Amino acid sequence: MRIAVACDHGGFALKQAIVRFLESSGNSVKDFGCYSEESADYADFAFPAAEAVADGQCDRGVLICTTGIGVSICANKVRGIRCALCTSEFQAEMTRRHNDANVLALGARTVSEQEAERIVAVWLKTSFEGGRHARRIDKIAAYENKQEVNANV
Ligand code: RB5
């Protein structure tokens, strides 16, 4: 899969580990930064990475900040993105099965590197179940489309 990754300074070390993990498991990674532990604003990196998923340049995205919260808020502002902040393999599995989450957010201080790798692995391999869950995410898309129409009136 083509995976967009991004982080801020708080997520930098974990992002580096996740990039290695993704590449060693056969994925192609597009790294949107940041590239050091120098203080940086998560929005500057999370938006471009989420947009790369929304426009089809990448299949999925993994975003990391200290808590995972800032990057997940940004990603969920991007039309077509369903970003889930996960701290467990159970959440990662369920958000693929039920929400078809196309972006995963991780908090560098809420999961260890080993937990993060396990979360990413289950999130990548789990399929969306469709059915009643497709109806539910269609309602999210309909809401996004309604917002867009209202903005253009
Ligand atoms: C940076 O200090 C921290 O606020 C950021 O990494 C993130 O956790 C915000 O939600």
Side-chain angles (χ1 to χ4, degrees), residues 70 90 153:
F90 174 69
V153 169

Side-chain angles (χ1 to χ4, degrees), residues 14 18 104 106 111-121:
L14 182 58
I18 293 300
L104 171 69
L106 295 169
V111 289
S112 69
E113 187 180 313
Q114 291 69 31
E115 286 167 336
E117 288 180 357
R118 287 197 296 267
I119 288 168
V120 169

